[in-house]
Amino acid sequence: MDVSFFSSTIVQIAVSIVISWALFALLSSMILEITVQIKSERGRFFRNKMLEKLYDSSNNVNWGVEIYLSSAVKLLTKSDKAPPAEISSKTLAEALIDAVANLEASKMLKKKEGGPDGYEEVKDYKNVLLNNVEFSIKYLGQSDVIVMLKNAVSKAKVKAALGDFYDEKILYEELVGEITAWFDQFSERTSSWYKKLSRKRLFLIGLLVSAAANIDSIDLYKYYEGNPAARAGMVEYYLEHKAQLETLAVKYDAAKPAIPAADQVSVNVIEKDIENLNKQIDSLKTTLKLPLGWDNPVWIKTDNMCKCKNGVTVREQPKEFFLYNVDFSCVLMKMLGIIISAFAASLGAPFWFDLLKKATSVTQTVIKQN
């Protein structure tokens, strides 16, 4: 596709800036991803939320701990420091049912059966597990988890009723289904919490990288404004690598709540992707002479006063860096430009590439109509 479809100068500038932000956000996401995988951060985050939200003060038990001690979850766990990043809601539901049925506190209550406290063993089913679950939710303290289980059992009974008795196989399956739906909702909330945390981390990474590499959005805007060749070059690059970049954006979506646990191969793949993206960015910087890095002058000396560099003109000046008599407003503009870049990174690569895809799609539609 010819880049001439971006006929408006302001559109060309805007698209060039968005492409720059998309590349920077993608690089920041890759850096975050390699850190997250090495530290098994997703698995630990989900486990911590489970332990936090499933603590049952009424019965002095943490259902999250009980779930992670279950054999089904242990099979997915490499080590205590690397909990699984993804556990199906059905597995969690079955683990919780098993934990409730075999809770030590319930066993202690059963020992008092027939005593003054009046605990009566439940014998409604042939299935011992279902009897134990009924006993636990009947006599344990009424916490949020126990109330949820009571409601789940009641709904499951309705669906499994066969006259005066229940189809126990259907009852168990329906009970698992009800609790699975509850864990699906829990996972959605956890995803939302993780997304907020990821945005904060992307902002910090973006701030550090943009400060280290002098990625100044205001400076980029001024440069694109005065350099049509750079604008055209950025658009050409995007159109040429569009499919590859969009695939990488999805692959390194920092807001994803669950990605398979890290191993050395996956870490090596990320390192390779970072290396390739860096090469592409360096190539763009060299070819289009983008104002990135601290190897170019940030201020130029004029009449014993350092002024902000201004687009292409400064590139004809000697490479100097002055730390005295700096205009304070210039420093503020530099800081603002770096902060804007960090904010762009915090939105994530998928956001910017989706925006570019929509812009390209709308433009193609307009072209066809004309």
Side-chain angles (χ1 to χ4, degrees):
M1 181 191 301
D2 187 0
V3 298
S4 62
F5 64 79
F6 293 107
S7 55
S8 169
T9 300
I10 190 65
V11 171
Q12 292 178 10
I13 296 171
V15 169
S16 299
I17 284 287
V18 171
I19 294 171
S20 302
W21 283 341
L23 291 173
F24 179 49
L26 180 56
L27 178 62
S28 299
S29 296
M30 288 178 175
I31 294 172
L32 176 60
E33 182 60 32
I34 198 169
T35 304
V36 165
Q37 289 216 22
I38 290 173
K39 296 175 64 179
S40 300
E41 186 62 34
R42 283 187 179 86
R44 291 199 296 171
F45 180 86
F46 187 77
R47 182 178 64 183
N48 289 342
K49 282 298 178 183
M50 286 274 288
L51 300 186
E52 175 188 341
K53 301 299 180 181
L54 296 185
Y55 176 70
D56 185 344
S57 58
S58 298
N59 298 293
N60 194 29
V61 60
N62 193 314
W63 297 111
V65 172
E66 297 297 326
I67 287 172
Y68 274 88
L69 288 175
S70 70
S71 58
V73 175
K74 278 187 174 181
L75 285 173
L76 303 173
T77 306
K78 288 187 174 182
S79 68
D80 290 338
K81 293 183 179 179
E86 185 173 14
I87 308 173
S88 70
S89 295
K90 184 180 179 181
T91 299
L92 293 172
E94 291 172 343
L96 179 59
I97 291 171
D98 188 67
V100 171
N102 296 288
L103 187 68
E104 193 63 32
S106 296
K107 294 178 181 178
M108 294 295 293
L109 292 176
K110 283 186 178 181
K111 292 180 180 179
K112 298 181 179 180
E113 179 187 349
D117 295 321
Y119 299 113
E120 297 180 1
E121 186 174 358
V122 176
K123 298 180 180 179
D124 295 341
Y125 315 102
K126 295 179 181 178
N127 189 316
V128 176
L129 181 70
L130 292 175
N131 285 326
N132 289 343
V133 169
E134 282 275 14
F135 181 89
S136 293
I137 64 176
K138 184 176 181 181
Y139 293 114
L140 287 176
Q142 297 306 292
S143 63
D144 291 341
V145 174
I146 297 300
V147 170
M148 180 274 293
L149 287 169
K150 276 188 173 181
N151 293 333
V153 169
S154 297
K155 292 178 181 179
K157 283 182 176 179
V158 171
K159 296 177 181 178
L162 294 173
D164 295 333
F165 64 95
Y166 303 100
D167 185 318
E168 295 186 14
K169 181 180 178 182
I170 294 177
L171 177 59
Y172 178 77
E173 291 174 351
E174 292 296 334
L175 177 59
V176 170
E178 292 291 336
I179 301 174
T180 296
W182 186 84
F183 273 114
D184 283 340
Q185 295 177 357
F186 178 83
S187 295
E188 288 177 6
R189 292 195 298 272
T190 304
S191 298
S192 177
W193 296 325
Y194 187 81
K195 186 174 183 179
K196 291 178 181 178
L197 177 63
S198 294
R199 286 195 62 176
K200 292 178 181 178
R201 289 175 170 174
L202 280 174
F203 179 82
L204 291 174
I205 291 173
L207 191 63
L208 291 172
V209 175
S210 57
N214 187 28
I215 303 174
D216 181 344
S217 291
I218 296 175
D219 202 18
L220 278 171
Y221 173 83
K222 291 179 180 178
Y223 183 69
Y224 287 133
E225 185 180 32
N227 197 322
R231 300 197 299 263
M234 285 300 293
V235 174
E236 285 180 353
Y237 164 80
Y238 168 67
L239 294 175
E240 182 181 348
H241 298 85
K242 182 174 180 289
Q244 174 201 5
L245 293 172
E246 288 175 353
T247 300
L248 287 173
V250 173
K251 180 179 179 181
Y252 294 108
D253 184 357
K256 282 185 178 179
I259 288 179
D263 53 38
Q264 193 58 42
V265 175
S266 61
V267 170
N268 287 340
V269 169
I270 300 173
E271 290 176 345
K272 188 67 175 177
D273 286 341
I274 291 175
E275 181 182 351
N276 291 336
L277 184 61
N278 271 327
K279 287 180 180 178
Q280 293 183 28
I281 294 174
D282 286 341
S283 177
L284 284 171
K285 175 187 172 183
T286 302
T287 304
L288 305 180
K289 298 181 180 179
L290 298 178
L292 303 174
W294 295 101
D295 54 331
N296 293 303
V298 179
W299 296 285
I300 58 174
K301 187 177 181 182
T302 306
D303 298 329
N304 295 322
M305 174 61 76
C306 296
K307 300 293 184 181
C308 300
K309 68 178 181 178
N310 185 15
V312 184
T313 306
V314 79
R315 298 199 166 280
E316 301 171 358
Q317 305 296 327
K319 292 185 177 181
E320 297 174 298
F321 189 93
F322 295 90
L323 297 177
Y324 57 91
N325 294 330
V326 175
D327 187 348
F328 187 62
S329 63
C330 183
V331 176
L332 289 179
M333 289 298 287
K334 173 60 64 177
M335 292 174 63
L336 178 60
I338 288 174
I339 290 172
I340 291 172
S341 298
F343 177 75
S346 73
L347 295 177
F351 174 84
W352 295 114
F353 283 111
D354 285 345
L355 185 62
L356 286 169
K357 185 189 294 184
K358 291 175 183 177
T360 305
S361 177
V362 169
T363 306
Q364 287 177 318
T365 302
V366 172
I367 291 172
K368 290 179 181 178
Q369 290 176 349
N370 291 336

